[in-house]
């Protein structure tokens, strides 16, 4: 648990003891003297070590004291006063390992994982002759593993994973005969690995996975000596050819992962369970019942062969693996049926067989004996009914059977499965009603039932977590209910191609989060509701192929983000509302209705040339619109319009002229009022003057105000270019603190140019007022987007219903992390911001994040060094505990605050808004400490997306960043790296959560 630090009580010789047993005293004294000599030497080594690593703050407690020996420091273990273990995990060590570390002659364990150590493999460690355990994982080592590494002959544990080692894995590794644990996963090896590794008879864990640059190879045939191997992973290592039967020689195997390879051939079924009996039986899949007890002792818990090209059947004998917990065979070409036995495995929790060619029925006992959590058999040719008891264990959260030929009614029990998160049963042949309880299943976020033969009426009530419902291509009938208040969180609703009748109720237009509403190909009739109450997020509306009549509501033309509109093949009549000219549509179809009159001029665009067909009364002024050309009369009317427009334009021009005249006068006045001699210091070439700025300091230009003053948005030229101006103090004499902030901001920001740090264009300074002029950020600040419901939004064009979707949030997190990372690592001297919060993360028109407000920022002498600040400053909810207590801080206080921002992004809550009086950081940490599911606290607005796993990873990163101990927090570099990998690929991350 990262939040608790307990140093083991140090046991020291208790002095009064001497006086009672004089004989022992002498002996003890001798050995004590020898011990203290060793201790002194070793203490010196430690202090040199700390120095050579430039004294990272994580090792601040490495100072000699009389009251306790270094053996009591948490990183160190001693035996008889001599150091045997150094556990230097995640301590911000950025420099190489010095040779004198081996002066610790009794060192047996060295763990340097999760640091930033650069360079080649540290051959200086060859002198640590007693070393048994070496962990260098999660650093920046590169180059080859040296060919003479076998001189570290005592090594039993060698963990080099998650570095950038390249070239071959040398044969010398396989000459480390005592190895029990060998982890070489996630590196850059671009050569081969030595076959001799499989001859290391003491191996318990062999992990080579995620080395996709390995030269393609076939798996060895010879596993005979690996009798102790429990974990074997070669996922994504370019293995081709078949899986040899001899895999079964690894008798102790618990975890087998060969996923993401081009392996072919059949899964050599029997072998996984047969073990020593292979010489007694000529094993065939159809005699599984005769396999004796020995089989059930098989140890396998995890089998992952996903994403290969395996063919043939799933071996029957998998049904005998009593400890099997996870079976992942998805994305292969397996055929035949799902073996009955698998359905009754007592430990099975996670079964993934999707994307194969499996056929036959799903064994009906699935779930009856197993605590199933995920059941995925999608994209196969399975037939028959869905097993009735999938949720019997009360743990099922993922159910995916789409794209099979399953039939019959859905089991009623699915309606009583409150753990369900996603149910995807689309494209099968299910019939009958949807079990009533399913609509109301309290955690359900997505329900996909399209492409079946389901019937019944739409539910009057829905689970409040449901955001995505697809009922299309079924036989649902009846009216769309008008009691829709429980539908309010719906984001996507597709009920196309059913038998729905009645009208589109006005209540449907209330749903504020709806982005997609598809009701085409039903029997809807009557008029459309004229008053569209919300639909501020609606991007796609399809009501085509119904019998809807009456006029098109003009309010549809005012939907702010509508991009696809299909009202074709109805009985709509009247004019196309002129408001439609304001829509920015990628697709429009109004054809086959009874519309009449001219189409709005803005829609006379080749992009819409098939949008109006088959409406005999419609006309256009251009023949390319493929409808009637409007007659002379309408020409005349458009001419009158033109005259009107010209007159209006002239009037407007006069108005503008007057306003400009008036304004320039006013601005002169204003400038006079401002101050005697304003001094402008520019940091960029400017396309505006100081009077542009001064004349814009008007109340109606104010877009925000904070502790230090007001912020204005000021247009600086007629093309609409704007800048943001922060005015520090309001004509009073600046107090000292504000003056300091101004100087800090100018000093620091004026010299930084980085994509993710806001640009300071210039400063304007005079005796009692200071102005800072920045680039204007169209999308304001992150907090406005995340916490808009609790405040009114001042962002022009942004309504309270626009959702910041997950990809945008991740993009913002990555950008902000890059900005902070730059400040901490690339600037000399490094800078800490001290006031990272969502309102200081600004967003440009494309949602690129930029760090702003450097009023509290301070330069550090060097990275990692804690400095004492004159006073605690920063914002409530974002303050790192060590800073709040002692006003001592290094860059890890920014990591803490950034962690709070990550928690805001994932939970949607404000930094101060935990429950039970806690801030967000403490509250979320408490939540997971109590073992509650993370998904409970994820922001509802993004929860239903397909990114849930990713969101949870980022949430966990936020938890790590807000660890109480600064040394438990990752660096901004690590944070940035983890986030960027999330953003771009599914590659495994280098950095993972410390165990909580
Ligand atoms: C190693 O530890 C032993 C006690 O376990 C001690 O006697 C010996 O002096 C130590 N060796 C060194 C070189 O410190
Ligand atoms: C393997 O990678 C290293 C380091 O990037 C490079 O120097 C070497 O040429 C590569 N070898 C091969 C065979 O591609």
């Amino acid at each position: 648990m990262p939040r608790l630090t307990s140093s083991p009580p140090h046991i020291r010789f208790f002095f009064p003891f001497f006086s009672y047993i004089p004989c022992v005293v002498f002996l003890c004294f001798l050995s004590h003297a020898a011990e203290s000599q060793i201790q002194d030497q070793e203490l010196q080594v430690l202090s040199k070590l700390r120095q050579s690593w430039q004294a990272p703050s994580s090792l601040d407690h490495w100072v000699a004291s009389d009251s306790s020996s270094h053996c009591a420091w948490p990183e160190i273990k001693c035996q008889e006063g001599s150091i045997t273990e150094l556990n230097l995990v995640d301590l911000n060590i950025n420099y190489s390992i010095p040779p004198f570390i081996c002066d610790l002659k009794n060192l047996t364990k060295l763990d340097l994982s999760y640091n930033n150590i650069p360079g080649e493999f540290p051959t200086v460690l060859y002198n640590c002759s007693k070393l048994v355990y070496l962990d260098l994982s999660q650093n920046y080592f590169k180059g080859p593993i040296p060919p003479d590494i076998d001189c570290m002959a005592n090594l039993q544990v060698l963990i080099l994973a998650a570095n950038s080692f390249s070239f071959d894995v040398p044969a010398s590794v396989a000459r480390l005969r005592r190895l029990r644990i060998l982890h070489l996963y996630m590196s850059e090896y671009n050569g081969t690995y030595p076959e001799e590794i499989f001859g290391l008879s003491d191996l318990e864990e062999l992990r080579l996975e995620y080395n996709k640059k390995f030269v393609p190879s076939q798996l060895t045939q010879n596993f005979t000596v690996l009798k102790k191997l429990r974990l074997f992973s070669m996922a994504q290592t370019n293995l081709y050819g078949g899986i040899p039967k001899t895999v079964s020689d690894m008798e102790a195997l618990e975890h087998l992962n060969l996923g993401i390879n081009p392996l072919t051939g059949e899964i050599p079924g029997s072998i996984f369970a047969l073990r020593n009996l292979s010489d007694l039986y000529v094993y065939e899949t159809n005699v599984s019942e005769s396999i004796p007890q020995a089989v059930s002792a098989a140890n396998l818990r995890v089998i992952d062969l996903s994403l290969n090209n395996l063919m043939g059947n799933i071996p029957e004998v998998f049904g005998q693996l009593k400890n099997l917990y996870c079976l992942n065979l998805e994305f292969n070409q397996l055929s035949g049926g799902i073996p009955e036995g698998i359905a009754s495995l007592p430990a099975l929790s996670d079964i993934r067989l999707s994307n194969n060619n499996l056929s036959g029925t799903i064994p009906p006992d699935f779930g009856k004996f197993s605590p199933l959590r995920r059941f995925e058999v999608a994209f196969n040719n399975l037939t028959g009914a869905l097993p009735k008891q999938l949720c019997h264990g009360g743990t099922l959260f993922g159910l995916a059977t789409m794209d099979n030929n399953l039939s019959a009614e859905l089991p009623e029990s699915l309606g009583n499965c409150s753990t369900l998160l996603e149910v995807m049963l689309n494209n099968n042949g299910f019939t009958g009603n949807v079990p009533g309880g399913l609509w109301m299943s309290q955690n359900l976020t997505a329900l996909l039932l399209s492409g079946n033969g389901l019937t019944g009426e739409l539910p009057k009530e829905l689970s409040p977590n449901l955001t995505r419902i697809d009922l299309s291509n079924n036989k649902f009938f009846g009216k769309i209910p008008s009691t829709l208040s429980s539908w309010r969180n719906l984001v996507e609703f597709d009920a196309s191609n059913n038998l729905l009748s009645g009208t589109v109720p006005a209540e449907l237009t209330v749903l504020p989060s709806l982005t997609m509403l598809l009701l085409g190909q039903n029997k809807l009739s009557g008029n459309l509701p004229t008053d569209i109450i919300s639909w501020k997020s609606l991007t796609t509306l399809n009501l085509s192929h119904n019998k809807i009549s009456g006029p098109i509501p003009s309010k549809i033309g005012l939907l702010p983000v509508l991009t696809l509109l299909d009202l074709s093949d109805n009985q709509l009549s009247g004019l196309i509302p002129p408001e439609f000219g304001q829509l920015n549509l990628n697709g429009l179809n109004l054809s086959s209705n009874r519309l009449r009159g001219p189409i709005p001029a803005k829609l006379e665009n080749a992009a819409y040339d098939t949008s109006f067909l088959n409406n005999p009364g419609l006309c256009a002024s251009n023949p390319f619109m493929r409808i009637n050309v409007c007659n002379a009369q309408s020409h005349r009317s458009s001419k009158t319009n033109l005259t009107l427009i010209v007159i209006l334009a002239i009037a407007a021009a006069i108005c503008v002229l007057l306003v400009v005249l008036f304004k320039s006068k006013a601005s002169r006045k204003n400038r006079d009022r401002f101050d005697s001699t304003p001094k402008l210091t520019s940091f960029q070439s400017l396309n505006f003057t100081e009077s542009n700025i001064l004349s814009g300091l008007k109340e109606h230009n104010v877009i925000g105000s904070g502790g230090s003053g007001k912020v204005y948005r000021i247009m600086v030229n007629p093309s609409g270019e704007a800048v943001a101006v922060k005015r520090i103090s309001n004509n009073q004499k600046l107090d000292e603190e504000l003056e300091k902030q101004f100087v800090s901001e100018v000093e620091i920001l004026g010299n930084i140019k980085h994509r993710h740090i806001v640009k300071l264009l210039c400063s304007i300074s005079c005796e009692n007022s200071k102005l800072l002029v920045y680039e204007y950020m169209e999308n304001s600040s992150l907090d406005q987007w995340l916490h808009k419901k609790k405040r009114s939004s001042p962002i022009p064009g942004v309504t309270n219903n626009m959702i910041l979707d997950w990809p945008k949030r991740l993009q913002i997190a990555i950008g902000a992390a890059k900005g902070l990372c730059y400040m901490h690592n690339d600037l000399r001297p490094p800078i800490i911001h001290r006031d990272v919060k969502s309102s200081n993360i600004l967003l440009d028109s494309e949602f690129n994040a930029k760090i702003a407000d450097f009023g509290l920022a301070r330069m550090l002498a060097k990275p990692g060094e804690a400095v004492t600040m004159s006073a605690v400053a920063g914002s409530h909810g974002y303050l790192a505990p060590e800073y709040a207590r002692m006003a001592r801080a290094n860059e890890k206080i920014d990591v803490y605050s950034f962690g709070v921002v990550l928690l805001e992004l994932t939970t949607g809550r404000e930094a101060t808004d935990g429950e039970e009086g806690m801030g967000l950081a403490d509250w979320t940490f408490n939540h997971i400490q109590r073992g509650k599911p993370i998904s409970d606290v994820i922001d509802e607005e993004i929860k239903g997306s397909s990114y849930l796993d990713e969101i949870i990873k980022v949430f966990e990163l936020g938890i790590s960043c807000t660890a109480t101990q600064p040394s438990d927090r990752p660096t901004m570099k690590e944070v940035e790296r983890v986030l960027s990998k999330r953003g771009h690929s599914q590659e495994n991350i280098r950095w993972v959560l410390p165990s909580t």
Side-chain angles (χ1 to χ4, degrees):
M1 289 192 300
R3 306 258 154 169
L4 304 175
T5 42
S6 59
S7 44
H10 180 56
I11 300 144
R12 283 179 62 80
F13 207 81
F14 188 50
F15 195 75
F17 194 62
F18 282 84
S19 43
Y20 299 114
I21 312 166
C23 151
V24 181
V25 167
F26 182 67
L27 290 174
C28 286
F29 185 76
L30 270 189
S31 85
H32 189 76
E35 223 172 75
S36 73
Q37 200 185 349
I38 296 173
Q39 292 211 0
D40 285 350
Q41 275 169 15
E42 295 194 333
L43 182 61
Q44 270 178 24
V45 175
L46 292 182
S47 117
K48 267 163 69 188
L49 203 52
R50 176 167 171 267
Q51 268 168 30
S52 88
W53 284 331
Q54 310 285 320
S57 63
S58 51
L59 294 180
D60 281 354
H61 59 286
W62 278 22
V63 278
S65 91
D66 290 336
S67 61
S68 83
S69 107
H70 58 264
C71 288
W73 297 345
E75 297 82 9
I76 289 163
K77 279 210 176 121
C78 296
Q79 267 175 25
E80 295 172 47
S82 175
I83 296 176
T84 54
E85 293 190 14
L86 285 179
N87 295 300
L88 304 170
V89 181
D90 194 15
L91 294 179
N92 248 324
I93 298 169
N94 304 324
Y95 303 92
S96 52
I97 305 168
F100 54 79
I101 199 170
C102 293
D103 293 347
L104 304 171
K105 290 291 178 206
N106 281 328
L107 195 65
T108 56
K109 178 179 178 190
L110 177 60
D111 187 346
L112 284 163
S113 57
Y114 294 95
N115 284 294
N116 307 310
I117 305 175
E120 305 233 321
F121 182 89
T123 50
V124 293
L125 298 178
Y126 289 178
N127 289 326
C128 298
S129 55
K130 292 192 179 165
L131 210 56
V132 169
Y133 187 118
L134 177 61
D135 188 344
L136 299 176
S137 62
Q138 311 274 354
N139 278 289
Y140 293 106
F141 291 107
K142 59 181 199 297
I145 297 179
D148 53 355
I149 193 173
D150 51 331
C151 68
M152 305 179 86
N154 289 319
L155 279 186
Q156 294 179 21
V157 176
L158 178 59
I159 301 178
L160 303 178
N163 278 290
S164 301
F165 289 116
S166 53
F167 302 93
D168 298 331
V169 176
S172 53
V173 169
R175 290 195 294 270
L176 295 165
R177 302 301 310 174
R178 299 190 177 165
L179 281 182
R180 291 188 294 109
I181 292 176
L182 178 59
H183 290 183
L184 302 177
Y185 58 87
M186 248 189 272
S187 262
E188 306 280 330
Y189 303 111
N190 51 1
T192 57
Y193 59 90
E195 186 99 337
E196 293 88 336
I197 287 182
F198 301 101
L200 291 170
S201 56
D202 284 338
L203 274 186
E204 293 163 25
E205 295 182 11
L206 176 56
R207 296 185 57 182
L208 299 170
E209 72 266 24
Y210 306 121
N211 281 303
K212 57 185 172 195
K213 296 186 196 159
F214 266 141
V215 169
S217 69
Q218 299 204 44
L219 204 51
T220 182
Q221 300 277 337
N222 191 354
F223 296 96
T224 36
V225 305
L226 295 170
K227 295 283 186 242
K228 297 180 185 164
L229 199 65
R230 286 181 286 104
L231 195 170
F232 178 45
S233 176
M234 285 192 71
Q236 204 170 32
T237 49
N238 261 325
L239 288 179
Y240 69 97
I243 302 174
K245 290 191 173 176
T246 45
V247 180
S248 61
D249 292 341
M250 297 184 275
E251 291 171 1
L253 203 60
E254 291 173 14
H255 186 131
L256 175 69
N257 186 353
L258 300 174
I260 327 181
N261 279 302
L263 288 170
T264 50
E266 303 201 354
I267 302 174
S270 52
I271 53 135
F272 282 112
L274 261 179
R275 309 181 35 180
N276 296 338
L277 300 177
S278 52
D279 43 356
L280 296 177
Y281 286 86
V282 179
Y283 194 72
E284 281 169 24
T285 49
N286 59 2
V287 293
S288 64
E289 285 74 20
S290 64
I291 299 302
Q293 302 311 329
V295 166
S296 59
N299 299 310
L300 273 166
R301 290 171 44 73
V302 175
I303 299 177
D304 187 341
L305 304 175
S306 61
L307 287 144
N308 278 288
N309 295 315
L310 299 169
M311 320 214 325
N313 295 346
I314 300 175
E316 292 277 339
V317 72
F318 279 11
Q320 310 272 340
L321 299 173
K322 293 288 184 262
N323 289 313
L324 196 65
Y325 165 84
C326 168
L327 178 62
N328 186 353
L329 305 175
E330 65 188 13
F331 290 94
N332 279 290
Q333 286 136 43
L334 299 170
S335 52
I338 302 174
E340 294 276 340
I342 294 179
S344 40
L345 289 177
L348 193 66
S349 161
D350 188 340
I351 177 160
R352 301 188 220 177
L353 306 176
S354 295
N355 295 81
N356 280 290
N357 301 319
L358 299 172
S359 55
T361 58
I362 303 175
D365 279 351
F366 259 115
K368 203 164 162 185
F369 310 103
S370 322
L372 286 181
R373 288 167 56 79
R374 286 172 84 138
F375 184 83
E376 301 182 1
V377 296
F379 296 96
N380 281 294
N381 303 314
L382 298 166
T383 53
L386 200 61
K388 290 202 166 27
Q389 306 184 67
L390 288 173
C391 193
H392 188 69
T395 49
L396 190 70
F397 71 83
L399 173 60
T401 75
M402 60 275 201
D403 291 86
N404 279 288
N405 297 316
L406 299 173
S407 56
E409 300 201 356
L410 297 176
E412 204 57 38
S413 60
L414 275 189
N416 302 323
C417 186
S418 61
T419 47
L420 282 171
L421 274 183
E422 289 197 334
V423 172
M424 297 185 277
L425 306 176
N426 39 311
N427 299 329
N428 281 287
F430 293 118
T431 53
N433 290 331
V434 176
L438 192 54
W439 304 109
M440 289 295 295
S441 197
Q442 67 193 52
N443 289 309
L444 195 63
T445 60
L447 178 59
L448 309 187
L449 301 173
S450 67
N452 283 292
L454 296 166
T455 68
E457 298 200 42
L458 299 186
K460 293 201 166 49
E461 271 195 275
L462 285 182
S463 155
N465 286 318
L466 256 175
T467 54
R468 188 168 166 222
I469 297 185
D470 187 353
L471 308 176
S472 60
N473 304 314
N474 278 293
K475 293 175 181 152
F476 290 100
F477 58 82
K479 292 184 174 174
I480 299 173
S482 55
T483 50
L484 292 175
S485 60
S486 65
W487 288 35
R488 69 186 173 282
N489 292 320
L490 264 191
V491 174
E492 289 176 23
F493 184 68
D494 186 352
S496 338
N497 196 15
N498 279 288
L499 307 166
L500 300 176
S501 56
T503 59
V504 175
E507 289 80 359
L508 201 55
T509 73
V510 175
L511 305 182
S513 308
L514 206 59
T515 63
M516 202 185 271
L517 177 62
L518 309 177
L519 295 171
Q521 286 177 279
N522 278 291
K523 296 175 166 176
L524 299 170
S525 58
N527 288 5
L528 290 175
T530 49
D531 202 15
I532 291 172
I533 296 159
S534 181
W535 278 3
K536 291 296 183 333
S537 313
L538 197 69
T539 61
T540 306
L541 177 62
N542 188 336
L543 303 174
S544 65
H545 303 281
N546 279 292
K547 298 195 177 78
I548 300 168
S549 54
I552 299 178
S554 59
K555 291 243 171 107
I556 289 182
L558 301 175
L559 295 180
V561 291
L562 193 67
T563 50
L564 287 171
L565 175 63
D566 191 346
L567 302 176
S568 65
D569 199 6
N570 277 295
Q571 291 155 22
L572 294 165
S573 55
L575 300 169
I576 298 175
E579 287 84 352
F580 270 47
Q582 297 173 26
L583 290 169
N584 279 316
L585 296 171
N586 296 331
L588 171 67
N589 196 350
L590 301 179
S591 57
S592 302
N593 276 294
R594 295 169 191 169
L595 300 167
R596 62 180 174 79
I599 62 174
K602 283 232 180 99
L603 297 180
E604 289 206 10
N605 180 324
Y608 303 127
D609 67 352
T610 56
S611 301
F612 306 101
L613 308 177
N614 195 21
N615 281 288
L618 274 185
C619 69
S621 56
N622 262 309
F624 66 67
M625 290 306 290
R626 298 164 63 177
I627 53 176
N628 293 335
V629 174
C630 296
N631 60 26
Q633 197 188 346
S634 49
H635 266 301
R636 210 177 308 132
S637 80
S638 76
K639 232 180 239 160
T640 9
N641 281 346
L642 195 69
T643 330
L644 196 67
I645 286 168
V646 169
I647 291 170
L648 282 176
I650 291 172
I654 291 171
C655 279
V656 168
L657 204 67
L658 284 175
V659 168
V660 167
L661 279 175
F662 177 77
K663 254 196 172 168
S664 66
K665 231 182 226 163
S667 84
R668 226 173 293 140
K669 225 168 100 198
N670 197 66
R671 188 175 152 187
D672 293 341
R673 213 163 11 101
F674 182 72
D675 212 347
S676 44
T677 43
K679 183 171 150 265
L680 183 144
T681 318
S682 77
F683 306 106
Q684 315 261 329
S685 65
L686 304 177
N687 58 357
F688 54 85
T689 65
E690 128 211 345
S691 67
N692 289 141
I693 303 296
L694 299 181
S695 61
L697 295 173
K698 301 278 168 48
E699 212 48 41
H700 64 88
N701 281 333
V702 171
I703 53 171
S705 57
S708 50
K710 286 180 176 166
V711 181
Y712 301 78
R713 175 179 186 270
I714 298 177
M715 299 278 234
V716 287
N717 58 36
S719 65
E721 219 180 307
V723 294
V725 178
K726 182 154 90 179
R727 181 176 196 168
I728 296 183
S729 121
N730 229 342
N731 281 342
Q732 303 126 5
K733 186 107 178 108
L734 286 186
D735 74 37
E736 213 180 321
E737 198 50 45
L738 287 179
E739 180 84 40
K740 256 197 219 152
Q741 291 186 15
F742 176 79
V743 171
S744 160
E745 180 110 75
V746 169
E747 239 176 45
I748 292 176
L749 257 193
N751 295 312
I752 297 182
K753 290 193 180 55
H754 187 265
R755 235 170 85 75
H756 293 290
I757 294 177
V758 74
K759 254 195 222 118
L760 180 63
L761 304 174
C762 66
S763 70
I764 300 175
S765 168
C766 49
E767 202 188 336
N768 57 4
S769 216
K770 311 271 184 191
L771 303 177
L772 292 163
V773 181
Y774 308 87
E775 61 179 326
Y776 178 69
M777 303 288 281
E778 283 81 350
N779 277 315
S780 184
S781 55
L782 178 58
D783 65 327
Q784 299 288 351
W785 286 86
L786 287 179
H787 312 311
K788 60 202 180 234
K789 286 195 196 102
K790 292 142 213 154
R791 310 186 196 136
S792 63
S793 166
I795 310 168
V798 174
T799 61
N800 280 354
N801 298 312
M802 272 194 196
I803 289 175
L804 198 56
D805 61 18
W806 177 248
K808 276 205 201 75
R809 294 187 196 200
L810 184 62
Q811 177 198 345
I812 291 164
I814 292 172
K818 283 188 167 150
L820 288 171
C821 195
Y822 173 79
M823 291 164 52
H824 291 179
N825 297 295
D826 297 321
L827 287 174
R828 290 285 167 269
I831 286 171
I832 55 173
H833 187 283
R834 296 209 299 157
D835 199 14
V836 175
K837 53 182 174 179
S838 56
S839 58
N840 281 340
I841 296 176
L842 305 185
L843 304 173
D844 71 12
S845 58
E846 281 149 13
F847 290 93
N848 292 309
K850 304 199 183 196
I851 307 282
D853 202 335
F854 285 66
L856 299 176
R858 288 289 182 278
M859 295 180 190
L860 289 180
K862 58 182 171 208
E865 187 157 277
V867 288
T868 306
M869 309 292 175
S870 56
V872 176
S875 302
H876 189 46
Y878 295 88
L879 277 187
E882 76 275 16
Y883 185 44
R885 269 200 317 274
M886 337 180 265
R888 263 174 78 75
N890 65 10
E891 66 268 22
K892 289 289 180 76
I893 67 160
D894 285 352
V895 176
Y896 184 96
S897 309
F898 184 74
V900 177
V901 173
L902 292 181
L903 296 175
E904 287 182 88
L905 280 167
T906 48
T907 65
R909 285 168 176 266
E910 297 196 50
T912 49
D913 181 28
E915 279 159 24
E916 301 158 27
M918 286 181 268
L920 183 58
D922 287 338
W923 176 70
T924 45
F925 183 73
N926 252 2
H927 181 88
I928 51 175
Q929 278 294 86
R930 292 180 199 163
K932 297 198 201 161
I934 290 175
S935 59
D936 283 359
V937 296
I938 300 300
D939 190 352
E940 296 300 334
E941 287 187 347
I942 48 172
K943 201 166 168 178
S945 66
S946 51
Y947 302 102
L948 191 60
D949 285 356
E950 196 173 276
I951 295 168
I952 287 175
K953 285 275 156 23
V954 173
F955 173 88
E956 288 174 338
L957 186 60
I959 294 283
S960 309
C961 289
T962 51
T964 304
Q965 287 302 317
S967 58
D968 288 337
R969 296 173 207 151
T971 62
M972 267 333 286
K973 218 180 197 165
E974 293 280 17
V975 172
E976 191 267 315
R977 204 160 44 186
V978 173
L979 287 171
S980 298
K981 289 213 169 166
R982 291 275 138 221
H984 297 304
S985 73
Q986 299 186 320
E987 260 183 59
N988 281 267
I989 53 172
R990 284 172 51 87
W991 188 84
V992 288
L993 198 53
S995 57
T996 41

